Amino acid sequence: SYELTQPPSLSVSPGQTASIPCSGDELGDQYTSWFQQKPGQSPVLVIYEDNKRPSGVPERFSGSNSGSTATLTISGTQATDEADYYCQAWDNSLVVFGGGTKLTVL
Amino acid sequence: EVQLVESEGGLVQPGGSLRLSCSASGFTFRDYPMTWVRQAPAKGLEWVSSISDSGRSTYYADSVRGRFTISRDNSKNILYLEMNSLKIEDTAVYYCARGFRADPFHYWGQGTLVTASS
């Protein structure tokens, strides 16, 4: 079965850039979405179709996808961005989630 | 405003059954595919099942196929998940979400906890 691999954790200083990778076989050949989830809350879509931002998502969130790696980039990271982040793609048209990355802002 | 509201989950014995529902409002329900995603305690997101806008096509994760049934009532704007032969490992918060395939998961419900335990 298709797997998406994310680092379990990542740390970034406030104001710096956070880059969260998601790797999968030929991932660049399909669309990837990214979700932010804060403790006790439902997931929130922050990037879809590799690099599109839903309305209301700050411009500091961006995405890219090429080769075998999709990347969520948060520029000028703020304390409020501390959360778990999940990538999502497809396996034979069925949904696959990455294991998630806990982003710590300190 | 799009709203997805799941029914209350609950405590069920292993081997038991439970039906979840998700009431939708703020959009034309019959125009969108719908999906269930779950999250075990302190774990990541796991796709469970999806259904086409018409309800004619359904899709399941291997972990629940043959035990869970997804359905929808487009006249009532409700999505369902019938869960049978529940296992301890089905314990999770279950979310309904709007979307599947060409439709990204823009909207999620608040989630409902299902606990399978004796």
Side-chain angles (χ1 to χ4, degrees), chain A residues 37-44, chain B residues 2-9 20-25 35-39 45 92-98 107-114:
Chain A
Q37 187 180 33
K38 296 181 179 180
Q41 298 184 18
S42 302
V44 173
Chain B
V2 172
Q3 284 199 318
L4 298 171
V5 180
E6 294 96 342
S7 59
E8 198 170 322
L20 301 180
S21 63
C22 170
S23 296
S25 61
T35 291
W36 288 97
V37 174
R38 69 184 181 184
Q39 186 170 34
L45 301 175
V93 173
Y94 285 74
Y95 297 99
C96 66
R98 192 187 85 175
Y107 300 99
W108 297 64
Q110 83 284 1
T112 188
L113 177 62
V114 173

Side-chain angles (χ1 to χ4, degrees), chain A residues 16-80:
Chain A
Q16 298 303 109
T17 295
S19 295
I20 303 174
C22 170
S23 62
D25 189 37
E26 298 181 334
L27 184 56
D29 291 344
Q30 58 170 302
Y31 281 142
T32 298
S33 293
W34 288 91
F35 299 89
Q36 176 194 67
Q37 187 180 33
K38 296 181 179 180
Q41 298 184 18
S42 302
V44 173
L45 180 68
V46 293
I47 293 289
Y48 67 100
E49 292 180 6
D50 293 341
N51 53 23
K52 297 180 180 177
R53 270 181 297 106
S55 61
V57 173
E59 289 185 11
R60 63 180 181 274
F61 288 86
S62 63
S64 63
N65 187 11
S66 179
S68 62
T69 304
T71 303
L72 173 68
T73 301
I74 309 173
S75 304
T77 306
Q78 300 182 3
T80 55

Side-chain angles (χ1 to χ4, degrees), chain A residues 88-100:
Chain A
Q88 178 257 309
W90 304 91
D91 177 19
N92 288 328
S93 299
L94 299 182
V95 183
V96 179
F97 288 100

